[in-house]
Amino acid sequence: MENYEELLIEILKKIAQESQTTDLSIPVGISNRHCHLSREDVESLFGKGYDLTKLKDLSQPGQYACKETIMICGPKGMIENVRILGPERKQTQVEVLQSDCFKLGIKAPLRLSGDLDHSGDVTMIGPKGSKMLVSGVVVAKRHIHMPSKDAKRFDVVDGENVSIAFDGARGGVLNEVIVRVDSNAGLECHIDVEEANALGVSSNTNIVIQKN
């Protein structure tokens, strides 16, 4: 009986390992407009010495939504309650939806996070002040966060351009998805709320990679 139990444990371990190896689905994270602030801009908008308040953790390790929001303004309009995500960054970045650009009257390029050269401009307004953000506004390009161990499993490398396929009533394939490999990342594909709504994608949707 003792040997039988040991054998059963080993079989279950092997099944679990094989399941992890053969499961090539990736969870989806749906992002709305938001911003990342530098220490300088936190103080410009909320006052000297102000510290942002964590509201809840996000799926990516170390990332969190803050209680605080700001308003962003362009030549044609404004958008209130733009959520701040922490932690603070060296450079402020505002990520908007494509439709937001029309409402604000700005031009924001489709970029990966951190690629801000010659990007869009907005005025940020907080409870204690305002700040003109020059070359800091982008529409987020869809991408997949992936830890190094999963990059090997999916046979992809950092910066690789892939397609993703998904099921559902509006299922299909999306091209131009960039793989972002980081040992500290959590496995997740990020698309914005406009793309998700158009394609019938929810937080319960899983996608699979199709190599280009």
Side-chain angles (χ1 to χ4, degrees), residues 19 25 52 102 114 130 132 137 140 145 148 150 166-167 201-202:
S19 175
S25 63
L52 297 170
F102 300 109
S130 63
M132 179 66 184
V137 187
H145 290 290
S148 304
D150 283 321
F166 51 94
D167 296 325
V201 174
S202 72

Side-chain angles (χ1 to χ4, degrees), residues 1-10:
M1 175 64 80
E2 184 176 347
N3 291 338
Y4 171 78
E5 290 178 349
E6 291 178 355
L7 179 60
L8 180 60
I9 290 172
E10 291 301 317

Side-chain angles (χ1 to χ4, degrees), residues 16-206:
Q17 290 172 352
E18 290 178 350
S19 175
Q20 290 178 352
T21 301
T22 57
D23 182 9
L24 297 180
S25 63
I26 298 174
V28 173
I30 301 170
S31 61
N32 205 339
R33 67 182 71 87
H34 61 270
C35 64
H36 306 270
L37 298 180
S38 66
R39 163 57 15 193
E40 177 185 351
D41 287 342
V42 169
E43 295 192 340
S44 295
L45 302 176
F46 292 92
K48 190 168 182 62
Y50 189 89
D51 289 321
L52 297 170
T53 307
K54 181 190 286 189
L55 180 64
K56 65 176 181 178
D57 289 318
L58 301 177
S59 58
Q60 291 303 305
Q63 304 292 309
Y64 53 89
C66 298
K67 179 180 178 182
E68 294 82 2
T69 63
I70 62 170
M71 179 190 299
I72 56 175
C73 299
K76 291 185 178 180
M78 65 181 183
I79 297 174
E80 298 180 307
N81 301 319
V82 178
R83 183 69 58 189
I84 300 170
L85 303 187
E88 296 171 2
R89 292 192 176 184
K90 292 182 179 180
Q91 188 174 6
T92 291
Q93 173 177 298
V94 174
E95 297 181 34
V96 297
L97 306 174
Q98 190 65 57
S99 60
D100 293 340
C101 296
F102 300 109
K103 182 173 182 178
L104 295 168
I106 66 170
K107 292 182 179 180
L110 185 65
R111 300 272 183 87
L112 289 174
S113 179
D115 184 4
L116 300 177
D117 288 347
H118 307 293
S119 58
D121 310 331
V122 292
T123 298
M124 305 180 295
I125 301 176
K128 297 294 184 179
S130 63
K131 178 76 176 287
M132 179 66 184
L133 177 63
V134 178
S135 290
V137 187
V138 297
V139 176
K141 186 176 180 62
R142 48 187 175 245
H143 56 279
I144 302 172
H145 290 290
M146 188 175 292
S148 304
K149 61 182 179 63
D150 283 321
K152 294 179 181 178
R153 181 162 65 95
F154 286 95
D155 189 27
V156 293
V157 297
D158 185 49
E160 185 170 349
N161 188 331
V162 300
S163 298
I164 57 173
F166 51 94
D167 296 325
R170 295 183 176 181
V173 176
L174 289 175
N175 302 320
E176 300 296 323
V177 185
I178 304 301
V179 176
R180 308 199 77 175
V181 178
D182 188 316
S183 58
N184 296 319
L187 181 63
E188 190 172 50
C189 177
H190 281 183
I191 63 176
D192 70 35
V193 68
E194 289 183 333
E195 293 173 311
N197 288 342
L199 299 166
V201 174
S202 72
S203 57
N204 296 321
T205 301
N206 285 313

